[in-house]
Amino acid sequence: MKRIAIDMDEVITDATGRHIEWYAEEFGQVIDRSSFHGKRFYMAVPEEHRDTVRAYPHREGFFKDMTMMEGARDVILDLSKEYEIFVVTAAMEFRNSFVHKYDWLQEHLDFISWKNYVFCGDKSIIEADYLIDDLEKNLKPFKGEPLLFTATHNMNLKDYPRYNNWQEIRAKFLS
Amino acid sequence: MKRIAIDMDEVITDATGRHIEWYAEEFGQVIDRSSFHGKRFYMAVPEEHRDTVRAYPHREGFFKDMTMMEGARDVILDLSKEYEIFVVTAAMEFRNSFVHKYDWLQEHLDFISWKNYVFCGDKSIIEADYLIDDLEKNLKPFKGEPLLFTATHNMNLKDYPRYNNWQEIRAKFLS
């Protein structure tokens, strides 16, 4: 059985949505996703707010109860019948994320065992056939086949086969 | 640079010592290590205490401020000059262990970046040249070279090259 490693933030969970939500709560303005096309979220806000915004993932609760990306559960469930699935997230950067990420996976992807969760920093440590991820820094050192999952910040990246949504991931693996 | 993955409990930290300490506090008896040679700690206590003891790692604080195994820091520090070191621990079994393990590593092995921590369940996901571990269930699926680190419970295991302490690990890699 071939093994697919799947990143969490921006692939399974909508971390950008959390940024937009917290920024709107704090500064009263809803930032439209089109305004940071090809850039990170913090680049779309006034310069004096950037440090605040960049610190959001370090604040308690950022990773709690995140919205799931459309179609993620259904497709991962179907993939799990024909592939070995590991959720591989660079959680180590955020000490406050561990229990929230664990609880999220237990609740929303209950068909995946905790044995198949990986919290790491550097994804070159991952032994898998495929890695679905939104960040070049994770895909580049990976030794298997890399799949770029589209996120607003990676729109201009050309070096990896791109998958725009979970239906395209389904078509790649289950057609 | 070759990569060494190192398990945490019973290899870097003395989890058996924590079991002995908590059992002595709760039941007033210090269990000698010789009494569970070749067995897990819980097998050395009266049958009516076994469920209690087996639940210790799930209790809050079990993984906090553990004692370091003798020589671990010095040898890992020296290894880190010639090898890439990852600490790879099956933390996922214990939701309450995450922050305590993270804090322990930050405090006691401050020369290793958080990028090189891995909290996982199944160690077959680990891409490394060597794995130092006390458990056969971790060494068996590992694709690199397995090194068995001696612990009371694995005294009878014959299938892996055995290292009895950190000085023997040093001799293997730095002689």
Side-chain angles (χ1 to χ4, degrees):
Chain A
M1 205 180 227
K2 290 219 171 186
R3 176 182 289 175
I4 307 174
I6 308 175
D7 177 39
M8 200 167 170
D9 298 317
E10 311 284 6
V11 176
I12 299 176
T13 53
D14 183 14
T16 293
R18 175 57 46 88
H19 269 105
I20 293 171
E21 174 197 335
W22 279 21
Y23 187 80
E25 279 171 20
E26 189 163 356
F27 297 103
Q29 196 194 345
V30 177
I31 306 285
D32 191 88
R33 289 178 195 244
S34 64
S35 67
F36 51 97
H37 198 276
K39 298 185 290 193
R40 306 299 298 227
F41 176 77
Y42 73 88
M43 297 175 186
V45 306
E47 211 166 320
E48 63 270 27
H49 296 167
R50 287 186 187 173
D51 286 349
T52 305
V53 164
R54 296 188 81 173
Y56 280 170
H58 293 277
R59 274 196 205 165
E60 176 55 33
F62 183 84
F63 295 92
K64 197 174 177 184
D65 300 330
M66 271 195 190
T67 302
M68 187 160 345
M69 300 294 271
E70 197 182 330
R73 188 180 198 281
D74 289 348
V75 176
I76 296 171
L77 179 59
D78 289 347
L79 287 176
S80 74
K81 294 164 188 161
E82 298 187 31
Y83 296 84
E84 197 183 10
I85 304 295
F86 278 72
V87 177
V88 176
T89 174
M92 285 305 155
E93 197 172 349
F94 308 108
R95 179 185 180 278
N96 65 318
S97 74
F98 305 151
V99 291
H100 296 312
K101 281 176 178 278
Y102 178 91
D103 290 346
W104 195 97
L105 291 168
Q106 289 278 300
E107 183 181 345
H108 297 282
L109 298 180
D110 51 311
F111 54 90
I112 298 178
S113 163
W114 55 262
K115 291 179 183 166
N116 291 30
Y117 304 165
V118 184
F119 294 175
C120 61
D122 171 352
K123 293 192 185 177
S124 72
I125 194 74
I126 299 305
E127 165 79 39
D129 298 292
Y130 307 94
L131 172 62
I132 306 171
D133 207 296
D134 65 307
L135 288 171
E136 181 172 31
K137 73 172 177 186
N138 295 329
L139 295 170
K140 201 167 185 174
F142 178 64
K143 293 180 188 77
E145 184 178 329
L147 291 81
L148 179 68
F149 198 88
T150 292
T152 47
H153 65 81
N154 70 28
M155 293 291 189
N156 301 324
L157 189 58
K158 305 278 185 215
D159 305 339
Y160 301 90
R162 175 181 294 279
Y163 296 81
N164 290 302
N165 52 53
W166 278 98
Q167 298 320 317
E168 291 186 15
I169 295 288
R170 181 197 292 278
K172 153 81 177 172
F173 290 105
L174 299 174
S175 58
Chain B
M1 206 179 225
K2 290 219 172 184
R3 177 181 288 175
I4 307 174
I6 307 175
D7 177 39
M8 199 167 171
D9 298 316
E10 310 287 4
V11 176
I12 298 176
T13 52
D14 184 14
T16 294
R18 176 57 46 88
H19 269 106
I20 292 171
E21 173 198 334
W22 279 21
Y23 188 80
E25 278 171 20
E26 187 162 358
F27 296 105
Q29 196 194 344
V30 177
I31 305 285
D32 191 87
R33 289 178 195 245
S34 64
S35 68
F36 50 98
H37 198 274
K39 298 184 290 194
R40 305 299 300 227
F41 176 77
Y42 74 87
M43 297 174 184
V45 306
E47 210 165 320
E48 63 270 28
H49 296 166
R50 286 185 186 173
D51 286 348
T52 304
V53 164
R54 296 190 80 174
Y56 280 171
H58 293 278
R59 274 196 206 166
E60 177 54 33
F62 183 84
F63 295 92
K64 197 176 177 183
D65 301 330
M66 270 195 189
T67 302
M68 187 160 345
M69 299 296 270
E70 197 183 331
R73 188 179 198 282
D74 290 347
V75 176
I76 296 171
L77 179 59
D78 289 347
L79 288 176
S80 73
K81 293 164 190 162
E82 298 188 29
Y83 296 86
E84 198 184 9
I85 305 295
F86 278 74
V87 177
V88 176
T89 174
M92 285 306 154
E93 196 172 350
F94 309 108
R95 179 185 180 279
N96 64 319
S97 74
F98 306 152
V99 292
H100 296 312
K101 282 175 177 278
Y102 178 91
D103 290 346
W104 195 98
L105 292 168
Q106 289 278 302
E107 183 181 344
H108 296 283
L109 298 179
D110 50 312
F111 54 90
I112 299 177
S113 162
W114 55 261
K115 291 179 184 167
N116 291 30
Y117 305 164
V118 184
F119 294 176
C120 62
D122 172 353
K123 293 192 186 177
S124 72
I125 193 75
I126 300 305
E127 165 79 39
D129 299 292
Y130 306 94
L131 172 62
I132 306 172
D133 208 295
D134 65 307
L135 288 170
E136 181 171 32
K137 73 173 177 185
N138 295 329
L139 295 169
K140 202 168 187 175
F142 177 64
K143 291 179 189 79
E145 184 179 329
L147 290 81
L148 179 67
F149 197 87
T150 292
T152 46
H153 65 81
N154 70 30
M155 294 291 190
N156 302 324
L157 190 57
K158 305 280 185 212
D159 305 340
Y160 302 90
R162 175 182 295 279
Y163 296 81
N164 290 301
N165 52 54
W166 278 98
Q167 298 319 316
E168 292 186 14
I169 296 288
R170 181 196 291 279
K172 154 84 178 170
F173 289 105
L174 300 173
S175 58

